[in-house]
Amino acid sequence: EKLEKLLKHLGPVFGDVEGIKATSPFEHMVLAILASECGAGIASKAARALLSEFVDWNEVRVSSWKEIGLILEKAKIPFAGDKAISLKRSLEAVFSETNRMDLGSIEKMPKEKAVNLMLKLKDMDEGGLAAVLYRSLGIDTLIPTPKVVRVAQRMGFIQKNASAQKMKQNLSSFVREKALYRFHYYLGKLADKCCFEKAAFCSACPALLLCQQGAVRARAQEDFKDDPKD
């Protein structure tokens, strides 16, 4: 019941979670990196612009971030230079893992290996990661990333000192397959927006009254600070 309330409440807050349309996990990864500050439409336009200037994504990988950044800037990608560095770094990571010129070969990997590769990437936000995991790779159980675990613990979905395996079992027991993407996406957004590792700005949280720790602190009119007693 609490989960359903959370998903229903946060839907209007974070908007359309189905925005990125991709034909493969690799394409989803690229679009997720480009879309985090601008949305799916501009990200798709930018990806097409890159492929009109370069032979393929491998050529993008070996090009300078300045070249990539100029193309992204023309495509109206915010913080184009930073995005160019992020994209290039992720392409390098994929190449290093696959050791193949065909960077789009992620879908040919064993699923566990592909998941581990996505989890290693540092340049996708949690929403983009959720899209790749559950929509492109078709993962049917929740992947408890550090951000999802942090928010789930504070909200009271799982115990703080539970083992990693117990956390996964507990979360998977009530987050059904059709809700995996939205649950991961929303908790990831909360982690990036206000529920930080060392402190949580509970007063800015759109899910405050549905949060176990947040509701207590709201009554006390306090924000959460990193406290070993919690």
Side-chain angles (χ1 to χ4, degrees), residues 21-189:
K21 308 296 182 185
T23 59
S24 70
F26 177 80
E27 184 185 1
H28 227 141
M29 178 200 79
V30 170
L31 293 178
I33 292 168
L34 296 176
S36 62
E37 302 288 344
C38 63
I42 294 176
S44 295
K45 179 182 175 182
R48 290 194 298 270
L50 286 169
L51 290 180
S52 71
E53 294 290 333
F54 299 106
V55 173
D56 56 20
W57 288 110
N58 194 57
E59 188 179 1
V60 176
R61 176 183 70 84
V62 299
S63 299
S64 75
W65 69 266
K66 290 184 179 179
E67 288 180 275
I68 300 168
L70 285 173
I71 296 170
L72 296 182
E73 187 174 28
K74 289 179 182 177
K76 309 299 184 186
I77 293 287
F79 313 109
D82 291 340
K83 286 293 181 185
I85 293 171
S86 293
L87 179 59
K88 183 174 169 63
R89 185 163 49 211
S90 295
L91 295 177
E92 290 285 4
V94 172
F95 178 75
S96 176
E97 190 72 25
T98 62
N99 201 26
R100 295 181 59 167
M101 300 295 278
D102 175 19
L103 298 183
S105 61
I106 294 174
E107 59 265 34
K108 299 174 186 175
M109 287 181 175
K111 193 167 287 189
E112 183 177 354
K113 185 175 181 180
V115 169
N116 288 336
L117 171 58
M118 292 299 105
L119 294 176
K120 288 178 184 176
L121 299 181
K122 305 300 182 185
D123 295 293
M124 273 194 295
D125 64 15
E126 204 74 10
L129 176 61
V132 177
L133 291 177
Y134 307 112
R135 295 176 63 196
S136 281
L137 291 175
I139 303 303
D140 58 7
T141 57
L142 192 76
I143 304 296
T145 65
K147 287 184 178 180
V148 168
V149 167
R150 179 170 76 237
V151 180
Q153 287 174 333
R154 290 175 183 172
M155 294 194 78
F157 285 113
I158 51 177
Q159 293 180 349
K160 182 169 184 178
N161 297 319
S163 67
Q165 184 61 29
K166 188 67 174 177
M167 288 178 189
K168 187 171 183 178
Q169 290 174 349
N170 289 350
L171 287 171
S172 297
S173 68
F174 65 85
V175 184
R176 303 306 177 193
E177 186 174 347
K178 66 179 182 179
L180 288 175
Y181 174 47
R182 286 189 297 151
F183 182 82
H184 191 139
Y185 181 95
Y186 291 155
L187 265 64
K189 286 288 189 181

